[in-house]
Amino acid sequence: MDLLDRHVVAEKIANALTTKLDIFPLLIDGHWGSGKSFFAQLLKEELENKHSTKVLSIYIDCFEHDHLNTARLTILSKTIELLSHGKPEYKKKILNKISNVAKTLVQVSASAALKTVLKINAEEFGKHLEEDLEEEGDKYIKDILSQQERVEEESASLKKILSELAQAEAKKIIIILDELDRCRPDYALSVLESIKHIFDIPEMEFVLIGSLEQLKAIIKKNYGDINSDIYLEKFIKHSTSLPTHSGEEHSTFRYIAKIIERETNEIARDLETTPLNEEKIQILADLISLHGISLRTAERLVKNINVLISMNRKNYFKTNINTEIILCTLFIFTINKNMAKPETKDSIASSVINEIGKCIHHRENKRPKHLDQLNKAYDLLNTCVSTPGGLKSALAAIEDKTVKYSLDQEKIKLYRDFFEEELAIDPTNLVLETFNTMSLFNQK
């Protein structure tokens, strides 16, 4: 479900890909959790639905295949699958053409063996072994040079065969390589090098999906302190980013609201409890604006909301005050992995108070709507934390007049109504109940 209208971006990129623009290999850059894989599928659908007369496209999840020893074999097998159109007899013909030249290309390099030989310290074995070792080293060097010649020859042969097969289709082949930034560093680099050295033919183009910063980190990890930008220029001709704009925070909030309506409220209706509407989740708009979260984190937040109401089966979202306290607690829990640690239990209510205070300040400056309910939630929690025995104890003292509180009648009514109309639970305990539920569910 395209809740962020990414199909519009996919349409524009697909239009560019099917022209004679010299932009391949193209990298579509996006940070973790920004919806890159979902976008990759949208792009493939766009190519298939609107450009099928011009292109053949295939999607490859590189991370799914990075346990294999060679990236070139993965790309080659998927390309054969694409060109055979699901016909076994045609696939067999293609395999017969390619199999001989492909063997050398997927062999493990002998360089590791050479390195092992050359690391031997000849002095440990005596002078009489030096000549034998030198002769052995020469043999490995000759073998490697010979293999290199075969690789170059058979790379050229493979390119010619693939080019002929693609020309027979009279269509451009576009291969979408996703999850490149999640692969083993050696495998990710093998993908880039295979595109450059093995599959560089006019009829075959590549679209890479991944985080540019993560790819740079992979290069530095493997090659040390080199200029990763210059290195990538050898393999990537053009890059574009999944768009970010001033309305991104609103889009993320809208995304959460849609998932809540589709998933959370269905659970709430099944349990005959109060569902969540956009008015009741306004605090999430504040928190998203203050912290910024990825779409993947947004999905995890909704999952935590669903877990809470499913496990405890209480009418948590009857009023705005209750909702704001619980949602703020869940938000903090979701974005802070350390929140599940037992030692944070005593400070969780203070953390929620602090976040609600930030939201009040943010809403005063940008969105004063619903400020009253947020102030009440803040006041309730503050009273609980600062009063020995909590809010219930404070109310009991007010009733029997044993303790004087500098509270006006409006606040006394607010506190009393909280117990009568909400969950009959101290707001601090409500936070801790939420915390304990999530800690139980997220135990490792």
Side-chain angles (χ1 to χ4, degrees):
M1 190 174 185
D2 184 17
L3 299 177
L4 296 180
D5 296 327
R6 285 278 171 83
H7 69 279
V8 177
V9 182
E11 180 181 14
K12 292 181 183 298
I13 292 180
N15 288 341
L17 296 181
T18 51
T19 66
K20 293 183 179 180
L21 276 174
D22 186 17
I23 56 174
F24 296 99
L26 170 70
L27 171 68
I28 297 178
D29 177 31
H31 58 76
W32 183 88
S34 60
K36 297 189 297 298
S37 292
F38 178 72
F39 179 80
Q41 295 292 350
L42 281 180
L43 180 60
K44 185 176 186 299
E45 289 174 12
E46 190 71 25
L47 291 169
E48 289 177 345
N49 295 336
K50 296 183 181 179
H51 302 278
S52 59
T53 59
K54 293 182 178 180
V55 302
L56 288 173
S57 62
I58 191 165
Y59 170 90
I60 301 176
D61 183 338
C62 293
F63 182 63
E64 183 181 336
H65 297 90
D66 85 335
H67 62 284
L68 302 173
N69 289 329
T70 173
R72 60 191 66 173
L73 184 59
T74 299
I75 297 172
L76 184 59
S77 64
K78 292 292 183 180
T79 303
I80 293 171
E81 183 180 317
L82 176 69
L83 294 173
S84 63
H85 299 284
K87 299 177 181 178
E89 66 279 8
Y90 195 27
K91 185 175 183 178
K92 188 175 180 180
K93 289 180 181 179
I94 296 173
L95 285 171
N96 288 338
K97 284 186 177 182
I98 290 178
S99 60
N100 289 332
V101 298
K103 287 178 182 177
T104 300
L105 298 179
V106 298
Q107 287 176 348
V108 177
S109 173
S111 60
L114 173 63
K115 187 180 291 186
T116 302
V117 172
L118 295 180
K119 277 186 176 179
I120 298 174
N121 187 338
E123 290 183 358
E124 293 181 5
F125 300 94
K127 296 292 183 179
H128 64 281
L129 290 181
E130 288 184 2
E131 292 181 2
D132 291 340
L133 182 59
E134 185 177 348
E135 182 180 341
E136 189 70 13
D138 288 342
K139 180 178 179 298
Y140 274 102
I141 290 172
K142 289 176 182 177
D143 287 346
I144 290 171
L145 291 174
S146 175
Q147 185 189 50
Q148 181 63 30
E149 289 177 4
R150 292 200 307 274
V151 167
E152 290 176 0
E153 290 173 0
E154 293 176 5
S155 293
S157 298
L158 179 61
K159 287 180 182 180
K160 185 174 183 294
I161 293 170
L162 289 174
S163 182
E164 290 172 351
L165 290 169
Q167 287 173 16
E169 297 287 342
K171 295 178 182 180
K172 179 189 289 188
I173 298 172
I174 295 180
I175 300 178
I176 301 170
L177 298 174
D178 190 19
E179 302 281 21
L180 191 60
D181 51 343
R182 293 183 63 198
C183 295
R184 295 191 335 259
D186 60 320
Y187 189 85
L189 292 174
S190 177
V191 170
L192 294 176
E193 290 164 358
S194 295
I195 293 171
K196 175 72 173 176
H197 302 301
I198 307 297
F199 300 100
D200 183 20
I201 61 173
E203 298 81 11
M204 187 179 292
E205 309 287 12
F206 289 86
V207 177
L208 312 177
I209 312 287
S211 164
L212 180 59
E213 289 304 312
Q214 185 59 32
L215 288 176
K216 289 179 181 179
I218 287 173
I219 291 165
K220 287 187 178 294
K221 180 178 177 61
N222 274 262
Y223 297 120
D225 189 20
I226 69 168
N227 190 319
S228 54
D229 290 300
I230 293 176
Y231 181 86
L232 281 173
E233 284 177 2
K234 297 190 298 182
F235 304 101
I236 298 171
K237 185 163 288 186
H238 188 78
S239 66
T240 185
S241 299
L242 286 179
T244 58
H245 47 79
S246 58
E248 185 178 17
E249 294 163 0
H250 174 69
S251 296
T252 305
F253 174 70
R254 185 159 58 92
Y255 182 65
I256 288 178
K258 292 285 187 181
I259 304 176
I260 286 175
E261 176 57 36
R262 192 178 66 221
E263 298 178 7
T264 309
N265 288 344
E266 184 176 343
I267 295 172
R269 284 187 283 268
D270 287 345
L271 298 176
E272 297 183 350
T273 59
T274 305
L276 284 165
N277 55 34
E278 284 206 24
E279 179 183 349
K280 287 183 178 178
I281 62 173
Q282 285 300 311
I283 191 171
L284 294 182
D286 297 304
L287 291 166
I288 291 167
S289 183
L290 287 166
H291 293 276
I293 60 172
S294 68
L295 299 182
R296 195 166 295 168
T297 303
E299 292 171 351
R300 197 164 68 247
L301 171 62
V302 176
K303 182 198 74 174
N304 285 338
I305 296 171
N306 297 344
V307 166
L308 180 71
I309 62 176
S310 297
M311 292 183 74
N312 291 348
R313 304 200 171 199
K314 293 184 178 181
N315 197 13
Y316 280 120
F317 307 124
K318 184 179 178 182
T319 67
N320 286 9
I321 295 176
N322 229 22
T323 302
E324 287 172 340
I325 291 172
I326 291 172
L327 291 183
C328 190
T329 306
L330 288 172
F331 187 91
I332 295 171
F333 194 98
T334 301
I335 66 173
N336 186 355
K337 293 181 180 179
N338 294 322
M339 192 57 69
K341 294 180 179 178
E343 60 265 26
T344 64
K345 184 173 181 178
D346 294 337
S347 63
I348 180 67
S350 297
S351 298
V352 174
I353 290 170
N354 184 48
E355 288 300 328
I356 293 178
K358 291 178 185 176
C359 290
I360 289 171
H361 180 69
H362 177 265
R363 196 174 292 186
E364 284 175 338
N365 294 332
K366 294 189 175 182
R367 297 185 308 104
K369 191 178 180 182
H370 309 302
L371 188 59
D372 181 57
Q373 296 298 315
L374 203 55
N375 275 318
K376 287 179 179 179
Y378 181 82
D379 193 48
L380 278 165
L381 273 174
N382 245 332
T383 302
C384 287
V385 172
S386 60
T387 304
L391 186 58
K392 193 171 185 179
S393 175
L395 280 172
I398 291 169
E399 295 293 340
D400 64 19
K401 300 180 181 179
T402 56
V403 179
K404 292 184 178 181
Y405 285 90
S406 57
L407 300 175
D408 55 36
Q409 291 301 311
E410 184 179 344
K411 285 192 175 181
I412 292 174
K413 183 178 184 306
L414 169 65
Y415 300 161
R416 191 176 287 120
D417 288 348
F418 186 85
F419 281 96
E420 292 175 359
E421 298 179 8
E422 304 279 335
L423 296 171
I425 183 173
D426 189 290
T428 306
N429 291 333
L430 180 60
V431 171
L432 293 179
E433 181 175 279
T434 303
F435 167 86
N436 288 332
T437 301
M438 299 318 302
S439 297
L440 175 66
F441 183 78
N442 286 276
Q443 280 182 350
K444 293 182 179 180

